[in-house]
Amino acid sequence: MRKLFSVIGLFIAISAAAESNLPTAGQIANEMTVGWNLGNTLEAIGGESAWGAGRTSQQLIDSVKAAGFNTVRLPVSWFTHSDTLTSIINKAWMNRVKEVVDYCIKNDMYVILNIHWDKGWLENRVNKTNQAMVNQRQQAYWAQIARHFKEYDEHLLFAGANEPNAHDSIQMSVLLSYYQTFIDAVRATGGNNSSRTLIVQGPATDIDDTYKLMNTLPKDLIANRMMVEVHYYSPFQFCLMEKDEDWGGMAYYWGKGNHSKSDTSRNATKDEENDLERRFESMKKKFVDKGIPVIIGEFGAFRRKLTAPSEQALHNASIDYYYKYITKTALNKGLIPICWDVPGMLFNRRTNEQVDKAMINAIMQGEEDAVRYKY
């Protein structure tokens, strides 16, 4: 009888352990809708307010949730808030990051916590020469971060890097070692981190490079707890270009029906709907259809103030259409779209009010129009 009770006890213990696993990456992806980046804030070199964001408040995150977003990506610097010799993270900084995470968790939002550019200690050192040093620091940081957030449920996800500069197979191999270190460090802390969903970034987070070079993922102790991240700012001339260059000029108009008949030199000439569809479809085939969710961790285009003869109304229509089209297409193909934002772009960081309601409405319309892929 005693032996029977022992067997029963072991069965209960094993069952309880299985039941305590957090949901799979696919189950989480099904619950994520559209996301928003707290940009130029916690990743700012010099402190949270160094790039004009001010101190993030619960009210700001409340406004983001009220606008319709249910996912927040938190870009964070750690190197500049640590002892650069011991890699010990400043406790006050760790606690401040936790406060901002809690603002989101309080709103039942999903939170993606990453290591961002951070002076390029990882991002610009994807090479054999720096591999050992970077892996050592990667392990130290993620062991501390993971322990600090160990008890959080599936609403918190960790992302191992930001936009790692890898562009060939050798660099891809080095980058995979950084991700293996990240995953091993998190899993070693146990608890909910044993089954937490972790996100690895494609090389340079470029979709074409990711399709070509990212042919394997790091090993994990648990199945179905990994996502892949890419970014999308194409065409550059429309999304981010700030002044004309010798090789080309800024584009103000994008998409079918939005090309100017008079200001023709400012029409986008590439990377419109067909190319966007092709790239997103490549991520669907390579990862999504195999049960690996993909996030578009950043996307966006800034709205310009134009003067005649350029057409402000047509430019505005192009911007709104761009956000709507990306959101709808991403969700249709199983990708989670997370727009980039900086102080004063979508939200006023002092009053917490919406600044660009048209842009936010375009994102939400894209979500409404989508026929979502389900994992």
Side-chain angles (χ1 to χ4, degrees):
M1 183 67 74
R2 184 176 300 169
K3 183 176 182 180
L4 176 60
F5 282 140
S6 297
V7 172
I8 293 173
L10 179 61
F11 176 78
I12 292 173
I14 293 173
S15 299
E19 291 174 359
S20 67
N21 281 345
L22 299 182
T24 67
Q27 289 170 329
I28 292 171
N30 285 338
E31 298 300 320
M32 299 168 101
T33 54
V34 290
W36 172 84
N37 274 273
L38 183 67
N40 286 16
T41 309
L42 297 177
E43 86 279 24
I45 305 304
E48 183 176 358
S49 301
W51 292 351
R55 188 173 174 84
T56 304
S57 67
Q58 178 70 65
Q59 290 72 29
L60 172 63
I61 304 302
D62 291 348
S63 294
V64 173
K65 176 63 181 289
F69 299 97
N70 87 333
T71 299
V72 175
R73 180 172 177 261
L74 295 180
V76 181
S77 288
W78 303 97
F79 175 77
T80 55
H81 296 279
S82 70
D83 185 307
T84 55
L85 295 178
T86 65
S87 296
I88 295 175
I89 298 169
N90 179 279
K91 289 183 179 179
W93 179 247
M94 184 76 83
N95 289 333
R96 175 56 185 155
V97 173
K98 181 180 182 298
E99 285 181 344
V100 178
V101 169
D102 289 343
Y103 296 158
C104 304
I105 297 296
K106 183 179 178 181
N107 272 313
D108 197 32
M109 303 173 87
Y110 290 90
V111 185
I112 297 170
L113 186 63
N114 86 344
I115 284 179
H116 211 66
W117 170 71
D118 211 3
K119 287 195 172 181
W121 71 265
L122 181 153
E123 192 159 299
N124 296 336
R125 291 176 172 81
V126 185
N127 55 60
K128 293 284 188 180
T129 301
N130 293 284
Q131 187 174 7
M133 179 271 291
V134 171
N135 269 315
Q136 184 178 30
R137 184 169 284 144
Q138 177 85 322
Q139 196 282 331
Y141 286 161
W142 279 112
Q144 294 171 78
I145 297 166
R147 282 196 300 269
H148 200 78
F149 292 95
K150 181 176 178 178
E151 303 305 321
Y152 283 69
D153 68 11
E154 71 275 10
H155 285 81
L156 180 62
L157 301 84
F158 296 148
N162 174 47
E163 293 178 343
N165 286 313
H167 302 282
D168 59 37
S169 59
I170 294 174
Q171 292 174 321
M172 187 68 236
S173 176
V174 173
L175 181 58
L176 284 172
S177 80
Y178 297 165
Y179 293 152
Q180 193 64 62
T181 297
F182 158 59
I183 289 168
D184 291 347
V186 172
R187 296 292 184 234
T189 62
N192 283 345
N193 288 333
S194 297
S195 56
R196 186 175 309 285
T197 288
L198 306 178
I199 305 172
V200 294
Q201 292 61 45
T205 56
D206 177 82
I207 290 179
D208 292 336
D209 282 352
T210 299
Y211 183 78
K212 179 174 65 175
L213 296 173
M214 201 168 193
N215 297 316
T216 186
L217 295 178
K219 296 179 181 178
D220 200 355
L221 297 174
I222 185 170
N224 304 318
R225 299 305 195 284
M226 204 175 301
M227 294 184 181
V228 169
E229 178 178 354
V230 292
H231 295 173
Y232 198 76
Y233 292 108
S234 296
F236 171 77
Q237 291 94 322
F238 176 73
C239 295
L240 299 175
M241 194 173 188
E242 296 183 21
K243 62 185 181 69
D244 294 338
E245 301 288 355
D246 292 341
W247 55 266
M250 294 179 287
Y252 301 155
Y253 318 110
W254 185 93
K256 183 179 180 181
N258 291 325
H259 283 193
S260 174
K261 295 179 181 179
S262 57
D263 195 21
T264 56
S265 67
R266 297 303 184 182
N267 291 330
T269 58
K270 63 177 183 177
D271 293 339
E272 294 191 281
E273 292 97 331
N274 289 342
D275 285 317
L276 188 153
E277 293 270 359
R278 174 185 61 79
R279 290 191 173 110
F280 287 14
E281 180 66 21
S282 74
M283 292 296 94
K284 180 178 183 292
K285 289 181 177 178
K286 184 143 193 170
F287 300 110
V288 172
D289 288 344
K290 298 174 185 176
I292 304 165
V294 175
I295 69 166
I296 304 177
E298 296 180 17
F299 76 91
F302 71 90
R303 197 185 299 276
R304 297 173 168 89
K305 291 184 179 179
L306 305 180
T307 56
S310 294
E311 302 176 62
Q312 185 70 56
L314 191 58
H315 169 67
N316 289 342
S318 297
I319 291 288
D320 297 340
Y321 178 66
Y322 184 81
Y323 276 84
K324 177 182 174 181
Y325 199 90
I326 283 184
T327 302
K328 177 182 176 179
T329 305
L331 293 172
N332 284 347
K333 296 182 183 297
L335 284 60
I336 310 301
I338 306 174
C339 70
W340 182 254
D341 189 25
V342 295
M345 182 175 171
L346 288 180
F347 293 89
N348 185 311
R349 299 290 180 88
R350 291 171 298 161
T351 66
N352 309 312
E353 296 175 343
Q354 294 183 21
V355 173
D356 197 326
K357 295 184 179 181
M359 193 177 286
I360 294 173
N361 289 340
I363 294 169
M364 299 308 158
Q365 188 63 56
E367 180 196 1
E368 184 177 333
D369 292 347
V371 180
R372 287 204 61 178
Y373 179 100
K374 290 293 182 180
Y375 288 88

